[in-house]
């Protein structure tokens, strides 16, 4: 069993008091407003992680909402000696946090979850839904699309209902359905141009046709919650699938005569593989296997977080299913199956470099560069380069998060000794 990292405690009074996420989210205080960086900033002395490597004693300028090539006039200087400076994290796959669900929450509740993850360094977030009735999903997509239009979220990921009942995980089997292209199109249209990804069991009737439909509309087709063979997975990739939804989880494991989807997804250079690096979903050896075969340019760390992320243990709802969270591990109350995670990406980074011993630049690629490229947002976010959004993180020497900036405004103001 993989080693577990300590779980972040809930706010005072929250632990043990949560019954369901919708109630919990209403009890949370409203997010505080970010604090703009007045007159520009120059951050100096840190170890700056760039796509090309780590710069010792680096220097980075912020002018307004952007990273600048030169220091703006009258810029405020911040000495970050002894710290790390990283790009903000980009999460492709996230169902909630702070007691709030992205699948069923109101706009305010969704914003509570988004803000919770910003406090942990995720400055760009694609919100994920779980299996539900098609009309419910379409209505929620309309709500979420408004938040995308306000630049609060980067888009919508539909995980279910087009998945295999054999590999349903924490999805209601009664609500699953085959990926009829017309129904897939219904969800894409409901998102009003903000559908970023759909997870499919592509071996089901209509699966390959739906992959082609998604590719034609610029939406990522992800292979996941699947019982596909190796050959069926190759067919899906050739049809346009480009992501493995939480590789290793909710799919057949590798066999020496039946290699299954994992081998096909790892070997194809067109595929980005998601990994949940929380110490529960994956053994460290599985993570190393993925990095070895896919390489650092094709791995994206995700949270697959549910409502309890950043909130605490208790009972929650994930879609229509009841979830028990104990010691930071979320499981279905009736079966004990893992039901998402309570992970935040700052913990995924710290584990990657301290437990998994990944080079920092490889971990940052998996947390920022690769998902930004996959989403088509790399011209704006994902790395610390002039002209991009000033989305950046300050961490101490032990990779503990100290500061978060999004679009030039501090979400978490670093307190430096």
């Amino acid at each position: 069993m993989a080693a577990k990292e300590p779980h972040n405690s809930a706010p005072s009074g929250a632990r043990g008091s949560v019954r369901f996420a919708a109630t919990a989210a209403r009890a949370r205080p409203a997010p505080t407003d970010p604090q703009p960086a007045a007159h520009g900033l120059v951050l100096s002395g840190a170890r700056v992680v760039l796509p090309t490597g780590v710069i010792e004693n680096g220097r980075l300028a912020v002018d307004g909402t952007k990273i600048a090539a030169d220091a703006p006039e009258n810029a405020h200087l911040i000495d970050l000696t002894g710290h790390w400076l990283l790009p903000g994290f980009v999460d492709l796959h996230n169902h909630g946090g702070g007691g709030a669900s992205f699948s069923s929450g109101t706009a305010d509740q969704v914003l509570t979850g988004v803000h919770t993850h910003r406090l942990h360094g995720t400055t760009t977030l694609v919100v994920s839904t779980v299996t539900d009735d098609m009309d419910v999903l379409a209505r929620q997509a309309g709500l979420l699309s408004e938040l995308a239009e306000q630049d609060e979220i980067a888009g919508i990921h539909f995980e279910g209902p087009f998945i295999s009942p054999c590999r349903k995980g924490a999805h209601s089997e009664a609500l699953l359905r085959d990926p009829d292209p017309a129904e897939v199109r219904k969800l894409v249209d409901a998102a009003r141009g903000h559908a970023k990804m759909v997870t499919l069991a592509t071996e089901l009737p209509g699966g390959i046709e739906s992959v082609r439909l998604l590719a034609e509309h610029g939406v990522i087709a992800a292979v996941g919650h699947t019982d596909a063979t190796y050959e069926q997975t190759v067919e899906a990739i050739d049809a346009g699938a480009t992501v493995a939804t939480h590789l290793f989880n909710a799919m057949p494991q590798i066999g020496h005569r039946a290699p299954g989807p994992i081998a096909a997804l790892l070997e194809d250079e067109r595929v980005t593989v998601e990994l949940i690096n929380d110490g529960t979903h994956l053994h460290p050896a599985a993570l190393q296997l993925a990095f070895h075969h896919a390489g650092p340019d094709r791995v994206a760390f995700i949270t697959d977080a549910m409502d309890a992320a950043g909130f605490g243990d208790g009972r929650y709802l994930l879609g229509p299913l009841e979830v028990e969270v104990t010691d930071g591990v979320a499981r279905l109350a009736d079966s004990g199956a893992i039901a998402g995670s309570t992970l935040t990406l700052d913990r995924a980074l710290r584990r990657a470099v301290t437990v998994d011993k990944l080079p920092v630049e490889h971990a940052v690629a998996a947390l920022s560069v690769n998902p930004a490229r996959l989403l088509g947002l790399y011209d704006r976010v994902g790395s610390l380069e002039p002209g991009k959004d000033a989305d950046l993180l300050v961490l101490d020497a032990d990779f503990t998060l100290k500061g978060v900036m999004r679009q030039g405004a501090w979400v978490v103001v670093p307190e430096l000794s």
Side-chain angles (χ1 to χ4, degrees):
M1 184 175 180
K4 296 180 181 178
E5 292 191 290
H7 174 59
N8 291 337
S9 297
S12 177
R15 182 174 297 277
S17 65
V18 180
R19 178 61 185 170
F20 293 117
T23 302
R26 287 195 294 270
R28 298 284 290 181
T32 55
D33 291 331
Q35 300 184 34
H39 308 300
L41 290 176
V42 173
L43 308 173
S44 67
R47 304 180 75 184
V48 182
V49 182
L50 300 176
T52 53
V54 178
I55 303 299
E56 301 286 345
N57 192 26
R59 182 181 176 91
L60 185 140
V62 174
D63 191 0
T65 64
K66 302 292 183 180
I67 297 171
D70 301 303
E73 188 175 355
N74 299 321
H76 177 59
L77 180 66
I78 297 180
D79 183 5
L80 294 180
T81 301
H83 290 75
W84 292 90
L85 195 60
L86 276 58
F89 302 139
V90 180
D91 196 352
L92 293 171
H93 186 156
N94 187 319
H95 296 279
S101 167
F102 298 149
S103 292
S104 59
T106 65
D108 285 345
Q109 290 166 353
V110 171
L111 287 175
T112 292
V114 170
H115 183 72
T116 296
H117 286 281
R118 282 186 193 162
L119 294 175
H120 291 274
T122 298
T123 52
T124 302
L125 188 148
V126 174
V127 301
S128 303
T129 62
V130 296
T131 295
D132 211 321
D133 180 81
M134 286 289 291
D135 289 337
V136 171
L137 290 172
R139 285 197 300 271
Q140 190 68 4
L143 180 150
L144 296 172
S145 66
E146 293 180 9
L147 298 179
E149 288 157 9
Q150 297 165 20
D151 199 26
E152 296 289 351
I153 63 174
I156 305 165
H157 163 218
F158 297 102
E159 186 182 27
F162 312 115
I163 60 176
S164 171
C166 301
R167 305 287 175 175
K168 63 183 183 295
H171 292 255
S172 172
E173 185 169 354
L175 295 170
L176 300 182
R177 57 182 64 211
D178 292 339
D180 182 327
E183 295 201 317
V184 174
R185 177 67 185 269
K186 177 182 178 179
L187 290 187
V188 171
D189 288 346
R192 304 203 302 258
H194 299 290
K196 289 292 185 181
M197 185 162 65
V198 178
T199 292
L200 306 162
T202 54
E203 75 279 6
L204 296 176
I208 296 300
E209 293 81 1
S210 292
V211 169
R212 294 194 181 103
L213 170 76
L214 292 169
E216 289 169 2
H217 286 80
V219 179
I220 297 164
V223 177
H225 288 275
T226 178
D227 204 39
T229 64
Y230 173 89
E231 291 77 14
Q232 289 170 326
T233 307
V234 169
E235 182 183 10
I237 297 168
D238 287 340
T242 56
V243 166
T245 293
H246 42 55
L247 188 76
F248 299 109
N249 299 115
M251 60 182 62
Q253 300 306 292
I254 296 175
H256 64 290
R257 292 193 181 92
I262 294 172
L265 294 162
L266 280 176
E267 72 184 11
D268 198 301
E269 294 183 356
R270 295 170 290 182
V271 177
T272 298
V273 299
E274 295 181 347
L275 298 177
I276 309 171
N277 192 26
D278 62 351
T280 298
H281 281 78
L282 295 177
H283 189 282
L287 181 140
Q288 293 292 346
L289 177 72
F291 267 90
H292 176 76
H293 286 279
D297 295 335
R298 292 204 292 119
V299 174
F301 284 145
I302 61 164
T303 58
D304 193 22
M306 47 77 70
D307 311 15
F311 199 77
D313 291 354
R315 288 226 166 180
Y316 297 82
L317 285 178
L318 185 60
L321 302 179
E322 193 169 347
V323 175
E324 180 78 41
V325 180
T326 304
D327 295 330
V329 178
R331 297 184 181 274
L332 291 180
D334 61 353
S335 68
I338 292 177
S341 85
T342 63
L343 185 63
T344 53
L345 285 182
D346 58 333
R347 288 170 52 209
L349 169 75
R350 194 166 192 271
R351 180 178 178 85
V353 296
T354 62
V355 176
D356 303 310
K357 306 300 181 183
L358 292 179
V360 177
E361 56 268 37
H362 289 180
V364 169
L367 288 157
S368 303
V369 176
N370 300 341
R373 283 180 172 153
L374 182 70
L375 293 170
L377 299 176
Y378 193 60
D379 60 330
R380 284 185 48 203
V381 300
S383 64
L384 300 178
E385 298 176 272
K388 293 192 175 186
D389 289 355
D391 292 359
L392 56 87
L393 311 176
V394 178
L395 297 93
D396 66 15
D398 295 324
F399 296 97
T400 300
L401 190 66
K402 294 296 183 180
V404 179
M405 177 180 286
R406 182 175 187 265
Q407 297 180 3
W410 289 113
V411 178
V412 177
V413 180
E415 296 182 5
L416 307 172
S417 56

